[in-house]
Amino acid sequence: MATSTPGRTAPARRTPTLAIDIGGTKIAVGLVDDDGALVHQAKLPTPDGDAEAIWAVIESLVIEALSTAGGAVRGVGVASAGPIDLQTGTVSPINITEWQRFPIVDRLSAIVDAPVRLGGDGLCMAMGERWRGAGRGAEFLLGMVVSTGVGGGLVLDGAPYDGRTGNAGHVGHVVVDPDGRPCTCGGRGCVETIAAGPRMAQWAREQGWDAPAGADAKELADAAAAGNAIALRTFARGATAVAAMIASVGAVCDLDLVVVGGGVAKAGPLLFDPLREALHTYAGLDFIRDLRVVPAELGGDAGLVGAAALVISVR
Ligand code: ADP
Ligand code: ZN
């Protein structure tokens, strides 16, 4: 019969943390152990229904995970698409229009007997990569994604940086072209208007790219890999915009590492080579001259792992 050694296998250490990742296309719920391993995970598409239909999906996944955990969890970490509001525990994701100030923290507190900690999805990605991925050891980290949009989160002095309302780290809306195109945020010239996958595909078409029907950044990457000059130019342009943003945020926050994930980062050197080259041009100050930019390692799991990291103090 197994015996427990006091101090080594205290029951509390085995109690997992419940992690929830809420996005416009899917909702994922998982259990994360104290070493950051995802020990259970289930996902469902974000439904096209009203606010309560979306909540019902989360509730069902949470109940399933709680039963897998044997009823007890250490806490609940929630990664949500933004904007969020930490003061009221509400979320109003731009790509879940049915949710306007949805009281996610109160709803979860009503069904789970454990503290609930909300964070932006970008912040959770950064925390996840720092705990278990490409950001290990970094004390001043920007974790970011280049995908349908551009997003991110900051870990400063080893701790998640929420900002006043929970929305710090929205690096997709760093302006890199003051005369640039309108952005979904209401501003213009944001890095997202140049480097987000669909925006790159659109720009390439405008330059004369003979795109296959329905082509997005993935097909643009295939074209670039085959040597298509317009596609290569588009990736260089997107990467340069991202580099300008990184140099700016790097200087403001005195960063030591940037981890880049998201679908467009799967293009690998097509994005990272011109990005690093442009960063040399823009990162002039001594303290950011050696700022490293590396690919993310955790893929889609980073949000769940990072949401749990918000609950478990990870330093
Ligand atoms: P989401 O924005 O929903 O989180 P993703 O992170 O997968 O989704 O990002 C989607 C974007 O990534 C699309 O513009 C898609 O074309 C692009 N993408 C996916 N795979 C690749 C790839 N291998 N190379 C370049 N772009 C890619
Ligand atoms: Zn914007």
Side-chain angles (χ1 to χ4, degrees), residues 51-60 99 102 104 107-108 111:
E52 292 306 320
I54 299 165
W55 165 248
V57 166
I58 297 175
E59 188 178 28
S60 70
W99 273 15
F102 186 82
I104 188 71
R107 291 295 184 95
L108 288 166
I111 61 167

Side-chain angles (χ1 to χ4, degrees), residues 123-143:
L123 178 67
C124 292
M125 179 270 182
M127 287 293 283
E129 288 290 338
R130 180 170 179 273
W131 194 9
R132 294 278 298 204
R136 273 175 276 205
E139 290 295 291
F140 293 85
L141 169 75
L142 167 65

Side-chain angles (χ1 to χ4, degrees), residues 25 146-149 196-198 216-219 221 235 262-267:
T25 51
V146 185
S147 47
T148 311
D216 200 345
K218 162 93 182 66
E219 291 69 26
F235 268 93
V264 176
K266 289 187 199 151

Side-chain angles (χ1 to χ4, degrees), residues 32-127:
V32 176
D33 74 13
D34 283 6
D35 298 319
L38 200 50
V39 294
H40 161 87
Q41 165 166 213
K43 289 181 220 189
L44 284 173
T46 308
D48 278 334
D50 61 12
E52 292 306 320
I54 299 165
W55 165 248
V57 166
I58 297 175
E59 188 178 28
S60 70
L61 290 171
V62 165
I63 289 168
E64 180 196 328
L66 281 176
S67 125
T68 306
V73 291
R74 279 180 63 151
V76 185
V78 186
S80 177
I84 66 172
D85 184 359
L86 284 187
Q87 270 131 32
T88 55
T90 60
V91 299
S92 314
I94 214 156
N95 49 7
I96 308 181
T97 47
E98 299 81 1
W99 273 15
Q100 296 291 333
R101 298 176 185 275
F102 186 82
I104 188 71
V105 172
D106 282 352
R107 291 295 184 95
L108 288 166
S109 299
I111 61 167
V112 189
D113 184 19
V116 179
R117 168 65 153 97
L118 172 63
D121 51 5
L123 178 67
C124 292
M125 179 270 182
M127 287 293 283

